[in-house]
Amino acid sequence: MHDTQFVSRRKTKIETQCRICGPLVCRAETEGLLGHIAFFIYISSFLIISGLLMTYIASNYNIIIIPFTKTRISDMLLIAATFSGGLRIFVEGFEELIKHREFDIDLLVFSAAIGAILIGFYLEAALVVNLFVIADYLESIAVSKAEKEIEKLTQYFPNTARVIRNGEEKEVPSNLIKIGELIIVKPGERIPLDGTIIEGEANIDQSVLTGESIPVYKTVGEEVFAGTFCMDGRLIIKVKRRAEESLFNKIIDLVLKSQKQKTEIETFIEKFSKYYVPIILILAFTVMIGGSLLFSEARFIRIYKGLILLVLSCPCALAISVPAGMISGIVNAARKGILIKGSKFLERASEAKVVALDKTGTLTKGELVVREVIPLTSKYTVNYVLSLATSLEKASNHPISRAVVEHANSQGLKLLEVSRFREYPGKGIHGVVNGKTLIVGNLKLLEEFNIPLTNNVISIAKEKDAKGAKTIFVCENRGIIGLIVLSDELKPEAKRAIKEIKKQGIRTIMLTGDNKDVATSIARELEIDEYHADLLPHEKVKIIKKLSQKYGSTIFAGDGVNDAPAISSADVGIAMGMRGIDVSIETADIVLANDDLMNIPYLIELSKVTKKAVRFNVILSIFLKFVLVILALLGFITLIEAVAFGDDGLALVVTFNSMRILRYKSKNLM
């Protein structure tokens, strides 16, 4: 629960034993605080029903047992109901007053109940306490749902792992395994620690981290993460991070820490409560002592009205209206792999006027693929050119080489043995195959070997480069026999994501370090409103700041590594996917763990829904409190109605309205 300066609300906690009941057996030992509350609800409700039965059904037996106060059996039953239901809230409220010098709502409600007893309103005293406890019970259940969603994540983290030590396989607690040790994961098991596969291959279900339901194939050299599920295959993994430093634990910490971030609305509520509470408290005691502001009334009526104001003085519903809504929005986002560092960033996302995006790794997959193999004459076939080039490329670990080899493997081509291999950084590679000298590289390497270029070759290369492709030349015995065209593939959801962002009235802008021709081609294909090319990291920062000044709140999404300065300078910085995830968590305000661009329009839509719910909560809380205060002064509401509508009833409405966000799903973005 949220605390204010003057009035605090009980926080949900787990009791290991019942410190109030003592030796009396109640459900607190097995069910925590909720079990304890339920136990006293039963007792209090039983006593209230018994008192009512004695009053209206068995009135002949409802004798006076305390003559000088004319207290009957039914009255004593109702008093007992008040104290049985109110014992816990009195103890906790008094502790809050002594330890923190704060007026807890528990103490205010219990004081109002005692006051009602003193002026002879026994039924109202019992009902006030019982309604309060029931509402608190339901509210605690509702709020705990969000916490349970977070707690569910811990179920995916294995407590032990099979580690290889001294040549033997041993089962050891995960938190005792060191970086560099080797662990074994079998089919059907969850991976206990982050690491790199050194032996084996398997399909890995990463949905717990990314929200992506399709398993990802992983093999030697690829990274795997704690909490993910090994569907098939036996893996030997070299541990890269300790258990407490795993990506999985960072995600849990990220969601937990997000609850502590305050929004502008929360700051306003704290300031409002700072003045509201003491003013209503002073008004309550003024009414009790000096009479109504409008009428001259009997003493017990004045006290009764003062007690109503005492109950209304607590801004409980107002205090929980923002955090209940924001944490529901954050948990909803986390289910889709959108990790938000704080509620203030969720609030800022709702105000976005511009979404700026990096190109490589954000709009594109960030991986080169072979698009086309072009033989220059009919003498050479596509397979011949590709086979020669791949025979040479297989000896290199360059991204272009890996893309060519992967493409050739998919075609099932037979590769040849290479001798005298040499790599020229930033230019290409050279070697000998079947006695023929091969060169595969860019124009710089061709110039170094004085290989002649025809106008036709230059024209083809320029045409492909203008479309954002990378062209490499394949040469045999100092003559160009073909070209291989590669490009960074657009993410399949990129075009739809841009369209959905623009539907929400938000301007889209691309920032890239690529040349203008590439940027123009991508921007035109995706129908992006504006683009800036040939940018260095610090230049992106300058543009982000200008966009914020010109349009307002700006979101920037990048890959979290070279885009870190721009991410940190934006109003809302978003890091994409697993690439550079450690840097992303430190730098970005929001991390899209599943690397899905469609989560950006979903995030903006969810943030607007969340903010709308929070505003409704705040406006309803303030409006209803003021209306009830006026009605109390005029004598139009009872103590029971003050609790039912102005305190816990209102708090329940606010809480359940916030909990709707947990179930929110966008109809347009399904």
Side-chain angles (χ1 to χ4, degrees), residues 268-558:
F268 160 75
I269 287 174
E270 286 191 354
K271 291 179 180 178
F272 177 83
S273 299
K274 182 178 180 181
Y275 298 103
Y276 170 81
V277 175
I279 288 173
I280 300 299
L281 283 174
I282 292 170
L283 183 60
F285 286 111
T286 300
V287 170
M288 287 184 189
I289 297 170
S292 172
L293 297 176
L294 300 177
F295 306 103
S296 177
E297 297 167 322
R299 183 177 63 181
F300 82 95
I301 295 296
R302 298 201 306 267
I303 294 174
Y304 186 73
K305 285 185 176 181
L307 294 175
I308 294 173
L309 291 172
L310 195 65
V311 171
L312 292 175
S313 67
C314 178
C316 295
L318 188 61
I320 67 172
S321 59
V322 177
M326 287 297 178
I327 191 60
S328 294
I330 288 170
V331 171
N332 181 304
R335 288 173 176 170
K336 289 184 67 68
I338 306 171
L339 310 175
I340 305 173
K341 282 189 176 180
S343 53
K344 66 180 180 181
F345 303 120
L346 184 61
E347 182 183 36
R348 286 181 190 172
S350 70
E351 301 165 353
K353 304 298 181 185
V354 173
V355 172
L357 306 105
D358 173 49
K359 182 184 76 70
T360 306
T362 302
L363 292 170
T364 67
K365 292 182 177 180
E367 298 175 356
L368 290 173
V369 293
V370 174
R371 290 294 176 196
E372 195 175 1
V373 179
I374 307 173
L376 288 184
T377 68
S378 58
K379 179 182 176 181
Y380 305 105
T381 65
V382 168
N383 284 350
Y384 181 80
V385 173
L386 183 59
S387 178
L388 283 183
T390 307
S391 297
L392 202 57
E393 296 282 13
K394 70 179 181 180
S396 172
N397 196 38
H398 191 278
I400 290 178
S401 299
R402 292 200 299 269
V404 173
V405 171
E406 185 176 342
H407 182 70
N409 288 339
S410 69
Q411 303 297 314
L413 297 181
K414 182 179 179 181
L415 304 184
L416 307 172
E417 291 297 322
V418 177
S419 61
R420 295 166 60 185
F421 174 83
R422 183 179 176 185
E423 189 162 1
Y424 298 81
K427 299 177 183 177
I429 50 181
H430 167 274
V432 176
V433 175
N434 286 342
K436 298 176 182 178
T437 300
L438 297 182
I439 295 173
V440 180
N442 57 24
L443 287 172
K444 292 180 181 179
L445 188 61
L446 268 60
E447 289 172 0
E448 189 169 320
F449 280 88
N450 296 316
I451 294 176
L453 292 167
T454 65
N455 291 333
N456 180 45
V457 170
I458 295 173
S459 175
I460 294 173
K462 284 184 176 180
E463 179 188 348
K464 301 300 180 183
D465 290 346
K467 295 180 179 179
K470 293 183 182 295
T471 305
I472 58 172
F473 302 89
V474 181
C475 306
E476 181 184 70
N477 292 335
R478 301 182 57 80
I480 301 175
I481 64 171
L483 291 80
I484 298 178
V485 181
L486 305 96
S487 67
D488 185 3
E489 188 177 7
L490 281 172
K491 291 180 179 177
E493 77 278 9
K495 190 165 187 176
R496 186 184 171 208
I498 295 297
K499 182 179 179 181
E500 293 296 338
I501 292 170
K502 293 170 73 173
K503 272 185 182 179
Q504 298 186 48
I506 297 171
R507 188 172 181 81
T508 56
I509 298 174
M510 182 177 70
L511 307 180
T512 179
D514 271 344
N515 62 62
K516 187 177 180 180
D517 290 336
V518 173
T520 302
S521 175
I522 297 291
R524 185 179 294 118
E525 184 174 353
L526 296 179
E527 298 180 1
I528 290 175
D529 296 317
E530 180 182 332
Y531 66 88
H532 299 266
D534 297 309
L535 298 176
L536 295 173
H538 70 278
E539 293 173 323
K540 290 184 180 180
V541 172
K542 289 181 181 179
I543 291 175
I544 290 293
K545 290 180 178 178
K546 288 180 181 178
L547 291 173
S548 294
Q549 292 172 357
K550 183 177 180 180
Y551 297 104
S553 183
T554 299
I555 293 174
F556 177 75

Side-chain angles (χ1 to χ4, degrees), residues 21-29 39:
C21 299
L24 183 64
V25 177
C26 79
R27 290 161 57 190
E29 293 187 3
F39 176 77

